[in-house]
Structures are given as structure tokens and as C-alpha cells.
Amino acid sequence: MLSGAKVIDLTIPLGSAIVMWPGAPAPEAETLVTVQHDGYFARRVSFFEHTGTHFDAPCHFIEGRASVDQIPAQSLVRPAVVIDISARVGSDADAVLTLEEVREFEKAHGRIPDGAAILLRTGWEEFNTDELRYAGAPGDLRFPGFGVEAAKFLVEERKAAGLGTDTLGIDPGIAVDFPVHSQISHPAGLWHLENLQNLKSLPALGAWVVVGVLPLVGGSGSPARVLALIP
Ligand SMILES: [Zn+2]
């Protein structure tokens, strides 16, 4: 079934130039050994758990809930549902996915299957090398995200396994109290993927997403290699 599958990489390469959540430390890499000097090359790297294309575990917002290493592998390979609102969002940094848009999506494509990864394409990935445009100004974060009603519907009525987006966060930048993270998705045990890219290459339905997240023991999240398979 997968022999002819197309593989799409949804991951931003992870290096020191990556746009961070304002105030979070940039990743660092230190060369420890080199081929010329030691016969082999290796570095020590350090990164904030929520760097670049990354995964949020429920314990990121809810104490005592699952950490990254406790997420079952089964939950990391999911049918992908791609809701594309980029045409409507345009340059509106405060746009959110509405419940009406989810219903329109189902009218056009059929019912969203239970247990899917819901990936929101806002078009914001276009700005992911421009800190001010992608994140907003320090103290005034501005980027699109999931609206509360839409998130509630996807979590409660469509039993989503996870939510993903091509912006810095699932909650829009203006939602300073993170209502989706703190009241809807993480309390229900869902994971998130943030700072995805290449969502434009995926069909609305029919692809699979494979979340290659590091199983950091006790981790609140981790950079992840996120791949989509189109059968
Ligand atoms: Zn995160």
C-alpha cells in the first residue's frame, strides 16, 4: 500500500536561524570532535523543547498529564486532515479557524474521521524566516490559530488525536491565556504540532502524518521530524 507513497516533509530545518517563541533561547550546537582531529564528527546540541517544528505533550499545560515519552506510538501515525483557510486569512494575523469553516470543510470533503491529526493551513509558513512578520512584536504576538469553538468541536465531536498548524502556536497570538492549550486540547490528552510547513502539498483528506518526535523522558515537547505520506 505504501510502496508508491509520496513522502512530504513538513519540517523546518532546525538550526540557529530558526524563529523562536519570543524570549525562548535559540538552539545551540557545539562541535566536540572533528573528523580531521578525532577521526569522527559529532556535536552537542541544546534546544528549548518548543523549537521549530515541534510537538507539545499534554503535560506542557496540564500538570501530571502525559509527557512526550508517554505518548503511544499508535497516536503518532494518524490520518491527516488538512483544513486550508489561507485564502481567507490573507495577511490577517488575528484570523482564527471558525466552527463554520469546519462545517464547510465537511460539506465539501465529507465527515472528518475520528482519531485524525487536524492540520490547519493558514499560509503563515510563508513568513517563517521573518521573525516580526511570523511572530509579531515582542509583547504583541500576532499570528493565526484555532478558534475555541472549532477546536472544541474537533476534540469533542471528532475525537481528534492531535492538532497542528503552520504558525508559532495552536492558539492565535492574541489569545494570551492559551484557551485551546489549557482548556480544550491538552486536558483531553491531545498533542500539538506547531511551525509545520509544506501543508500546501497535502490533500484535504487521504494523507497520513508520521510524527517523529524524540521520546524525551518527562519532556513537555520536542522538536520533531514530521512526515506526511500520500498513498
Ligand atoms: Zn509548543
Side-chain angles (χ1 to χ4, degrees):
M1 164 201 158
L2 289 177
S3 58
K6 199 166 157 192
V7 181
I8 308 285
D9 198 337
L10 306 182
T11 317
I12 302 173
L14 179 52
S16 56
I18 209 153
V19 173
M20 296 300 302
W21 188 270
E28 289 175 10
E30 178 194 356
T31 299
L32 297 183
V33 286
T34 64
V35 173
Q36 201 175 24
H37 190 266
D38 308 281
Y40 63 101
F41 169 55
R43 308 181 305 169
R44 168 165 49 206
V45 297
S46 75
F47 51 79
F48 184 60
E49 288 180 325
H50 302 266
T51 294
T53 301
H54 75 272
F55 183 92
D56 290 350
C59 76
H60 185 31
F61 272 72
I62 313 293
E63 263 184 64
R65 299 303 291 268
S67 51
V68 197
D69 55 306
Q70 294 171 330
I71 305 292
Q74 187 80 24
S75 165
L76 299 175
V77 182
R78 294 285 92 206
V81 170
V82 182
I83 303 180
D84 187 342
I85 59 169
S86 60
R88 197 263 296 170
V89 170
S91 59
D92 180 5
D94 299 335
V96 297
L97 174 69
T98 66
L99 179 55
E100 201 190 336
E101 283 172 318
V102 176
R103 294 202 188 282
E104 278 165 17
F105 177 92
E106 290 199 324
K107 251 180 237 159
H109 302 285
R111 187 186 153 101
I112 291 171
D114 285 5
I118 313 294
L119 309 180
L120 176 64
R121 177 169 187 249
T122 70
W124 227 242
E125 72 169 88
E126 208 181 305
F127 312 128
N128 70 18
T129 54
D130 176 343
E131 198 173 321
L132 195 61
R133 194 75 205 274
Y134 189 63
D140 181 25
L141 297 190
R142 306 290 286 280
F143 51 82
F146 283 78
V148 165
E149 292 305 314
K152 238 187 167 120
F153 176 82
L154 293 166
V155 171
E156 291 172 7
E157 307 295 329
R158 294 297 178 264
K159 315 291 178 214
L163 304 178
T165 179
D166 60 355
T167 70
L168 208 54
I170 293 297
D171 280 290
I174 46 167
V176 290
D177 53 348
F178 305 101
V180 178
H181 280 73
S182 65
Q183 292 161 38
I184 300 170
S185 53
H186 285 332
L190 275 77
W191 48 254
H192 301 154
L193 292 170
E194 293 167 336
N195 302 311
L196 293 167
Q197 66 176 11
N198 293 331
L199 292 178
K200 63 180 173 299
S201 305
L202 303 189
L205 291 172
W208 284 74
V209 66
V210 179
V211 183
V213 62
L214 298 177
L216 297 177
V217 175
S220 72
S222 167
R225 188 82 182 251
V226 184
L227 304 174
L229 303 179
I230 306 176

